[in-house]
Amino acid sequence: ALDCLMTTACQAAVDSGAHLPEALSGQLLQDTWGAIQAAETRLLTHANASFSRLAMGPLWSEVMERARCPLRGFLGCAKVSLWSGHDTTIMPFLAAVGAFDGHWSPYASSVVIES
């Protein structure tokens, strides 16, 4: 439901044919989004980001393994590795590495790690 709400809100900003129901526009939408963002930030950063570090541990392990491959002198290491995800992957990943700023990741966000 949140994805549909935000997609419609974003589309309404560029397309006069897309409209949110009157009851969900304006201040109510901003207040709702603020409450959701605050709750997500609490979850992702609570107890030194424990939840985020646990959830993103396997992904971070794979990223680091790929980054360390050339340092270990192995042949055939990947020159470029790409992973894809959503905002709900990017935010806990950033929280796990101490880079989450408390704001929801914008549409089409990316994280780049160079080694």
Side-chain angles (χ1 to χ4, degrees), residues 11 21 34 39 42 44 46 50 57-60 66 68 70 75 79 82-84 91-92 94-96 99 104:
Q11 188 60 32
R42 281 191 303 275
L44 295 176
H46 176 73
S50 297
L59 175 59
W60 185 246
R66 300 251 179 146
R68 289 180 183 132
L75 299 176
K79 294 182 188 270
L82 299 172
W83 290 269
S84 65
M91 294 183 305
L94 291 174
W104 204 276

Side-chain angles (χ1 to χ4, degrees), residues 8-87:
T8 303
C10 290
Q11 188 60 32
V14 296
D15 178 6
S16 60
H19 299 287
L20 287 171
E22 188 63 36
L24 291 176
S25 60
Q27 191 62 46
L28 179 59
L29 177 62
Q30 290 178 12
D31 292 346
T32 302
W33 186 247
I36 290 167
Q37 185 168 276
E40 188 74 10
T41 297
R42 281 191 303 275
L43 173 68
L44 295 176
T45 59
H46 176 73
N48 195 28
S50 297
F51 169 79
S52 297
R53 289 186 291 122
L54 179 63
M56 293 295 112
L59 175 59
W60 185 246
S61 178
E62 187 173 342
V63 168
M64 292 306 297
E65 186 63 32
R66 300 251 179 146
R68 289 180 183 132
C69 183
L71 299 174
R72 293 183 177 149
F74 296 139
L75 299 176
C77 297
K79 294 182 188 270
V80 175
S81 297
L82 299 172
W83 290 269
S84 65
H86 293 272
D87 49 358

Side-chain angles (χ1 to χ4, degrees), residues 76-113:
C77 297
K79 294 182 188 270
V80 175
S81 297
L82 299 172
W83 290 269
S84 65
H86 293 272
D87 49 358
T88 53
T89 306
I90 289 176
M91 294 183 305
F93 185 83
L94 291 174
V97 299
F100 181 59
D101 65 1
H103 293 93
W104 204 276
S105 298
Y107 183 72
S109 293
S110 64
V111 175
V112 178
I113 300 170

